[in-house]
Amino acid sequence: MGIAEGALWLMGRPVRHSLPVSADAANRPAFLLRGHPELTVEAMPLSVDVPTGQLALVRPADRSDKPHLPVRGDLAHIGLAGRYFVPHYAVPMPHTLKAAGVLRGAGKPDGEELRALTAGETFDVLDIAGGWAWGQAQADQLVGYVEVAQLEPQA
């Protein structure tokens, strides 16, 4: 591999460099540091291991529809970071039910009733939107929605 000499312009001044002729734009350094010839493309080549052959799915994807797993398409419990990839992770905020209520499968009054909640029960809130809190009941770890009006934050 041959070496090409040329000039890069850094802050309006030419800087001498030497790069391998075959160095494509992705492997060229963004800038050169004076006095550090070891920081060149030859000294630190960028390489990417790309799998060869045909890729295939080997098992169905885990859709996380388990009733006790606090994962949605957009949000998951912080304890699941590293196991499930979602855009956001939330730290649970413990709340107490003011009165008996219902844990629902959807954040709406006609959502499927998952189970009854008792007054004083702790519900870990992960998200609040539209008057509904999504989270997990501490007693049995069941995930669902509770009306925000039924909850009060624990001190």
Side-chain angles (χ1 to χ4, degrees):
M1 163 172 38
I3 301 292
E5 290 195 5
L8 291 177
W9 291 87
L10 182 63
M11 299 179 68
R13 298 175 51 202
V15 178
R16 291 186 53 79
H17 68 88
S18 61
L19 297 173
V21 172
S22 64
D24 61 303
N27 285 334
R28 291 185 186 140
F31 49 88
L32 299 173
L33 301 174
R34 271 190 221 149
H36 295 283
E38 68 275 5
L39 299 177
T40 64
V41 173
E42 283 187 40
M44 296 183 346
L46 299 175
S47 65
V48 178
D49 293 330
V50 178
T52 58
Q54 188 170 353
L55 302 176
L57 292 174
V58 294
R59 63 179 172 79
D62 182 1
R63 296 280 183 221
S64 302
D65 57 354
K66 299 173 183 123
H68 297 89
L69 192 63
V71 175
R72 296 189 316 205
D74 64 333
L75 182 70
H77 187 290
I78 190 71
L80 298 174
R83 290 189 5 205
Y84 292 89
F85 180 72
V86 293
H88 305 282
Y89 298 94
V91 175
M93 300 174 291
H95 284 66
T96 303
L97 266 80
K98 298 177 193 175
V102 176
L103 182 66
R104 299 195 177 275
K108 51 188 178 182
D110 61 344
E112 176 191 359
E113 204 172 298
L114 300 178
R115 78 168 179 88
L117 298 170
T118 58
E121 189 171 339
T122 300
F123 183 77
D124 288 332
V125 175
L126 295 168
D127 186 33
I128 296 175
W132 291 88
W134 177 73
Q136 193 169 31
Q138 275 192 6
D140 60 0
Q141 303 298 304
L142 192 59
V143 175
Y145 292 83
V146 176
E147 288 184 79
V148 173
Q150 297 178 318
L151 300 171
E152 62 184 4
Q154 289 183 356

